[in-house]
Amino acid sequence: MKFALHFWGLFCCLYALSKNIYARPDAVSVGALFTFNSTIGRAAKIAISAAVNEINNDSSILPGTNLVVEMQDSNCSGFVGIVQALQFMEKDTVAIIGPQSSVIAHVVSHVANELQVPMLSFGATDPTLTSLQFPFLVRTTRSDHFQMAAVADLVDYYEWKQVTAIYIDDDYGRNGIASLGDELVKRRAKISFKAAVRPGAKKSEMASVLVRVALRESRVVILHANPDSGLTLLSLARNLGMTSSGYVWIATDWLSSFLDSSPRLDIGLLGTMQGFLTLRQHTENTRRKSMLASKWSALVKKDSVDDKFLINSYGFYAYDTVWILAYALDAYFSRGGNISFSNDTKLHEVGAGGLQLKAMTVFDGGRLLLERIQQVNFTGATGPVKFDTDGNLIRPAYDIVNIVGSGLRTVGYWSNYSGLSTLLPETLYMKPAKRVRGDQKLHTVIWPGETTVRPRGWVFPNNGIELKIGVPNRASYRQFVSVDDNTGTVRGFCIDVFVAAANLLQYPVPFKFVPFGDGSQNPSYPDLINNILTNDFDAVVGDIAIVTNRTRVVDFTQPYVESGLVVLTSVKKQSSSGWAFLQPFTIKMWCVTGLFFLVIGTVVWLLEHRINDDFRGPPVKQVITVFWFSFSTLFFAHREDTRSTLGRFVIIIWLFVVLIIQSSYTASLTSILTVQQLISPITGIDSLVASDDPIGFQVGSFAESYLVNELGVSRHRLKSLGTPDEYKQALELGPANGGVTAIVDERPYVEIFLLLHPKFAVVGSEFTKSGWGFVSLFDYFFPPSENNST
């Protein structure tokens, strides 16, 4: 009997599983938290109600369960929103739709994490609200990370390098602009000025911020605000003349949401933003979108709203948010999930006082419901609804909208897949991704001032900050750079080149020269360059050699002086004598040449004496003929005729060799007799390195590190020299008397030294090829290199 009862119970359980008849609750309580009287909130309220009504009337989803959404108005107050969120937690709420505000989301997400209540926000776009820190906050709209990437691509597309950012100084504004800065850096651009506006600021405060913006160089303005503060800023900007020709204004999607919600656009309002660009979250043309848009007017009228307004992109995302939660709850119940809550032991340990903290309980199925939310996959009003591994909706895309005349004009689209394009993003997902610059396209934009010409994006700043140009305060070779100790005036060849180049610019560049060094000895050039990396100098002008290690951390201009390392040493004059005619050839060369004459004479005699009478006769005569014939060919004066074919062939070759010997001898002898001959035991860098004699180098020059690191010269052989007089003294003393055998230095310095002391000379060839250039920071996001030894 017991066995039969057990069998019957097991059968019932299996039957229940197969038929999915786990007991579902009659109703599911869900909270919704947003600001009713806002651009986003007005549309969201109608959209959420419409979605709830459709779900409760659809028997295919949540059968037998009624979805109940309790909406609370945060009234644009962060404090009120936080309190209302806590109240939801006291009512055994399984999920919260919202919050709309990123500020509230930052606070309430900590509570949601603790009580395991999923929050689905259709309005919190702050990019720092990530699933890593806040796993129970599910963003059902686009993160501003993608919007700022779109803005950065726009800036890069029009080749602007600096922008000014105006933003509301809260979590939403600060973190959005921080993300924009990161994206611009990737495209070798930057935010040159951040203008923060206090939340709830008065018009006078906003005007003060705009005045500071107007004094800046950049005319590309990124406005990241909310409709209330943003429209006030635009009105003030127009009064200040900041919306005229030459300016570029790019507003984030707050502006498009406001304009899309307005059934009739006010001409006066549009006049404050003519030629502006704004972004709009892209929503695909789906069946649900068309159905919701077609009955929107009736839904607004049914809600007893006096003011007529249209749906915007946030309204569509709010609509999809309810469907996301409905599908997730349906899957949750289908897999045996139930609604139960338990006390949080941490709250019991806290002295609550008058607060009802114990009323807040942990949703036992919160983590499972969160998993079902992250697994939803359907086509909603905005397009495909699915989350990636980072918790973001797939296929982020934006419309690029140009405000012209009395309406809006879409000039292109941006997607994270293909960048900027004039084609709808959904048509590009089936094609290979192309993010190369040549494939980025937009339609023609009408800019402020009713022009289609791309604005330059900058003007001469009214409060331009002078560039700090570092110059070496040299003690020697001051012909290149010199600093007057009394007046501080900087002169020299390098300074003249820089000033002449600056004068060729089509715009003024204010700068001032800042001497580096005490002038008693040459400064350290690595330390001078390091001052750019530490932002003490904006650039360095002077006799700065372009070498490999320096180019790794800073950027050089094109070389304006050719330079390279040479060997300077003492030389002796070699005077000519009566025996100078023997000097073109060495003794060995003379011997070889004479031997060849005898060999050629003998070979010709062997080939000719049997058939040629000129080479016959007594033995003495034949020997004389051999000598005479061979040496007379040196002057092409031989009279003996050659008759054999081999003999003539040998003579032709020999006469060619004689021509070469004669020409070389003549050239060498002419040089010896006409050019002053200088001799030195050092013939170049190879012989210098091979010796053990001391080597001199200029203080501050990269020659020291080059000799040690590249050529392997021991440091104890190197001797630092500061002035041309020290050069002269060290070379005259020589290695035996405490001097040096040679000096390795850059050619420009050596040429000036030789003008003053012609008895010294450069030996060998130039063994490095570089030049001198002006220096600036390679890029502000490159870290300083640890290797600055040269």
Side-chain angles (χ1 to χ4, degrees):
M1 186 66 180
K2 289 183 179 180
F3 175 76
L5 291 174
H6 284 298
F7 179 79
W8 175 253
L10 179 63
F11 174 78
C12 291
C13 290
L14 292 175
Y15 180 81
L17 284 172
S18 64
K19 295 298 183 178
N20 189 24
I21 58 171
Y22 276 109
R24 294 183 178 228
D26 294 333
V28 178
S29 178
V30 175
L33 182 63
F34 53 93
T35 299
F36 292 175
N37 189 27
S38 66
T39 298
I40 296 176
R42 282 193 296 268
K45 186 173 184 292
I46 304 297
I48 291 173
S49 298
V52 170
N53 186 58
E54 291 176 12
I55 292 168
N56 289 334
N57 291 326
D58 189 344
S59 59
S60 65
I61 186 170
L62 289 178
T65 300
N66 194 43
L67 182 64
V68 178
V69 177
E70 180 183 350
M71 302 184 193
Q72 292 286 353
D73 184 5
S74 61
N75 198 25
C76 293
S77 171
F79 175 73
V80 172
I82 293 170
V83 172
Q84 290 172 343
L86 295 177
Q87 289 176 344
F88 279 135
M89 302 298 184
E90 295 177 352
K91 298 178 181 179
D92 293 343
T93 303
V94 298
I96 296 176
I97 298 174
Q100 172 187 329
S101 167
S102 297
V103 176
I104 299 175
H106 268 283
V107 177
V108 179
S109 293
H110 292 284
V111 181
N113 286 351
E114 180 64 26
L115 302 182
Q116 298 187 6
V117 177
M119 294 195 306
L120 294 81
S121 176
F122 57 86
T125 58
D126 181 352
T128 64
L129 291 169
T130 64
S131 59
L132 294 176
Q133 184 180 7
F134 306 114
F136 281 86
L137 175 65
V138 180
R139 196 198 318 268
T140 57
T141 186
R142 304 299 180 185
S143 168
D144 275 342
H145 165 74
F146 300 109
Q147 181 169 207
M148 295 309 170
V151 173
D153 274 348
L154 273 174
V155 173
D156 183 56
Y157 177 77
Y158 290 110
E159 299 181 348
W160 298 311
K161 294 302 179 184
Q162 296 186 28
V163 303
T164 296
I166 304 177
Y167 62 96
I168 300 301
D169 194 16
D170 58 12
D171 292 328
Y172 158 76
R174 280 192 306 272
N175 296 329
I177 294 302
S179 179
L180 173 62
D182 294 339
E183 293 298 325
L184 288 174
V185 164
K186 297 176 184 177
R187 296 155 179 81
R188 301 182 68 84
K190 66 176 182 178
I191 300 175
S192 60
F193 180 60
K194 295 181 179 180
V197 177
R198 181 179 62 84
K202 299 178 180 179
K203 286 187 176 182
S204 58
E205 297 177 66
M206 294 183 181
S208 177
V209 171
L210 291 173
V211 169
R212 294 202 304 271
V213 170
L215 294 175
R216 297 288 169 170
E217 177 182 0
S218 174
R219 284 295 181 263
V220 181
V221 182
I222 312 299
L223 182 55
H224 187 50
N226 53 57
D228 292 336
S229 59
L231 294 176
T232 303
L233 283 166
L234 292 183
S235 177
L236 293 172
R238 184 186 187 186
N239 295 336
L240 293 172
M242 296 176 62
T243 60
S244 58
S245 177
Y247 276 91
V248 176
W249 285 80
I250 302 176
T252 50
D253 62 355
W254 67 267
L255 182 56
S256 63
S257 299
F258 174 80
L259 297 177
D260 290 340
S261 300
S262 305
R264 291 180 298 277
L265 296 176
D266 183 78
I267 299 300
L269 177 63
L270 288 176
T272 65
M273 55 188 76
Q274 287 297 302
F276 284 24
L277 290 179
T278 183
L279 278 69
R280 175 198 295 133
Q281 296 189 66
H282 180 72
T283 55
E284 298 183 14
N285 293 319
T286 63
R287 182 182 61 86
R288 282 182 171 169
K289 178 181 178 180
S290 301
M291 291 176 58
L292 181 60
S294 63
K295 59 183 180 181
W296 184 257
S297 297
L299 292 173
V300 173
K301 185 177 180 180
K302 180 181 177 181
D303 198 61
S304 301
V305 178
D306 294 334
D307 296 331
K308 303 297 181 181
F309 57 89
L310 304 178
I311 189 171
N312 53 42
S313 60
Y314 283 98
F316 289 118
Y317 279 105
Y319 176 85
D320 279 353
T321 300
V322 182
W323 278 98
I324 291 173
L325 183 57
Y327 279 116
L329 285 170
D330 190 55
Y332 173 77
F333 292 135
S334 296
R335 300 193 181 186
N338 60 1
I339 298 177
S340 63
F341 296 86
S342 58
N343 293 327
D344 190 346
T345 56
K346 295 181 181 179
L347 292 178
H348 284 273
E349 296 173 359
V350 177
L355 299 176
Q356 299 298 321
L357 296 181
K358 294 181 180 180
M360 291 189 292
T361 54
V362 178
F363 178 29
D364 297 328
R367 192 167 297 277
L368 181 60
L369 178 58
L370 177 64
E371 293 177 2
R372 299 296 171 260
I373 292 173
Q374 294 169 341
Q375 293 171 0
V376 296
N377 186 1
F378 68 97
T379 300
T382 59
V385 178
K386 185 179 179 181
F387 295 97
D388 60 20
T389 55
D390 294 327
N392 295 312
L393 289 173
I394 62 171
R395 298 184 178 181
Y398 288 85
D399 301 343
I400 312 298
V401 180
N402 187 201
I403 302 174
V404 182
S406 59
L408 309 180
R409 171 173 166 264
T410 301
V411 295
Y413 306 91
W414 178 92
S415 71
N416 196 42
Y417 180 76
S418 57
L420 298 173
S421 174
T422 55
L423 302 176
L424 289 170
E426 51 266 32
T427 64
L428 301 175
Y429 292 123
M430 302 303 295
K431 301 178 181 179
K434 292 183 179 180
R435 294 298 298 267
V436 295
R437 187 178 186 85
D439 292 326
Q440 306 295 291
K441 294 180 180 179
L442 291 176
H443 293 302
T444 302
V445 173
I446 300 178
W447 303 101
E450 299 183 358
T451 177
T452 58
V453 178
R454 179 188 69 89
R456 185 171 57 179
W458 58 268
V459 294
F460 307 140
N462 293 328
N463 62 339
I465 301 174
E466 288 184 327
L467 295 177
K468 292 181 292 184
I469 307 295
V471 294
N473 190 3
R474 295 187 58 87
S476 62
Y477 299 108
R478 294 169 64 85
Q479 296 91 335
F480 295 110
V481 181
S482 64
V483 179
D484 191 306
D485 295 333
N486 297 323
T487 63
T489 304
V490 182
R491 298 187 181 89
F493 171 76
C494 300
I495 304 302
D496 293 341
V497 172
F498 175 79
V499 172
N503 290 337
L504 293 176
L505 297 176
Q506 299 179 357
Y507 50 89
V509 178
F511 61 85
K512 63 178 179 179
F513 293 117
V514 181
F516 180 79
D518 55 12
S520 60
Q521 63 177 5
N522 294 338
S524 169
Y525 280 62
D527 292 344
L528 176 59
I529 292 175
N530 281 337
N531 274 269
I532 297 180
L533 302 177
T534 57
N535 293 323
D536 292 325
F537 293 147
D538 298 304
V540 169
V541 170
D543 48 342
I544 313 297
I546 304 173
V547 293
T548 303
N549 281 358
R550 293 174 182 171
T551 59
R552 293 172 183 168
V553 293
V554 292
D555 190 21
F556 283 86
T557 62
Q558 291 294 323
Y560 63 91
V561 169
E562 292 185 357
S563 178
L565 293 179
V566 294
V567 177
L568 175 68
T569 187
S570 300
V571 292
K572 296 181 180 178
K573 294 181 180 180
Q574 184 179 13
S575 59
S576 58
S577 64
W579 298 96
F581 68 91
L582 295 175
Q583 293 179 5
F585 291 160
T586 61
I587 296 176
K588 185 177 181 180
M589 183 63 183
W590 280 117
C591 294
V592 171
T593 302
L595 180 61
F596 266 103
F597 274 102
L598 295 177
V599 169
I600 293 299
T602 302
V603 171
V604 172
W605 176 78
L606 290 174
L607 295 173
E608 294 289 332
H609 80 283
R610 295 185 179 183
I611 60 175
N612 192 340
D613 292 339
D614 291 338
F615 291 90
R616 305 180 68 179
V620 176
K621 179 183 177 183
Q622 293 186 42
V623 171
I624 294 173
T625 299
V626 169
F627 277 94
W628 166 255
F629 176 81
S630 61
F631 284 101
S632 63
T633 57
L634 181 63
F635 307 101
F636 306 99
H638 55 286
R639 292 175 297 176
E640 292 77 11
D641 188 19
T642 52
R643 297 179 181 178
S644 67
T645 302
L646 286 176
R648 290 175 179 176
F649 179 74
V650 170
I651 288 299
I652 290 173
I653 296 176
W654 174 244
L655 290 177
F656 180 73
V657 174
V658 168
L659 178 63
I660 295 175
I661 294 174
Q662 188 183 59
S663 300
S664 300
Y665 177 84
T666 303
S668 298
L669 182 60
T670 302
S671 175
I672 291 172
L673 297 177
T674 58
V675 179
Q676 181 180 357
Q677 297 296 303
L678 302 175
I679 60 173
S680 171
I682 302 299
T683 58
I685 187 62
D686 294 331
S687 61
L688 178 62
V689 172
S691 69
D692 292 327
D693 296 331
I695 303 172
F697 67 92
Q698 184 183 171
V699 174
S701 172
F702 76 96
E704 177 187 12
S705 62
Y706 184 86
L707 290 170
V708 173
N709 298 328
E710 302 296 332
L711 302 182
V713 178
S714 176
R715 286 189 182 274
H716 77 271
R717 291 181 57 192
L718 302 181
K719 185 175 182 179
S720 60
L721 304 171
T723 64
D725 292 337
E726 292 182 13
Y727 279 30
K728 176 177 177 292
Q729 182 181 4
L731 290 173
E732 288 177 343
L733 289 175
N737 300 312
V740 296
T741 188
I743 296 173
V744 175
D745 204 355
E746 296 177 68
R747 181 174 289 278
Y749 304 123
V750 173
E751 289 178 350
I752 289 181
F753 176 81
L754 292 178
L755 290 176
L756 303 175
H757 307 285
K759 66 178 182 178
F760 304 99
V762 173
V763 295
S765 59
E766 192 173 280
F767 57 91
T768 65
K769 288 291 183 181
S770 59
W772 289 354
F774 304 135
V775 192
S776 63
L777 190 59
F778 180 72
D779 226 333
Y780 43 84
F781 50 84
F782 267 60
S785 172
E786 295 180 0
N787 185 4
N788 273 329
S789 60
T790 58

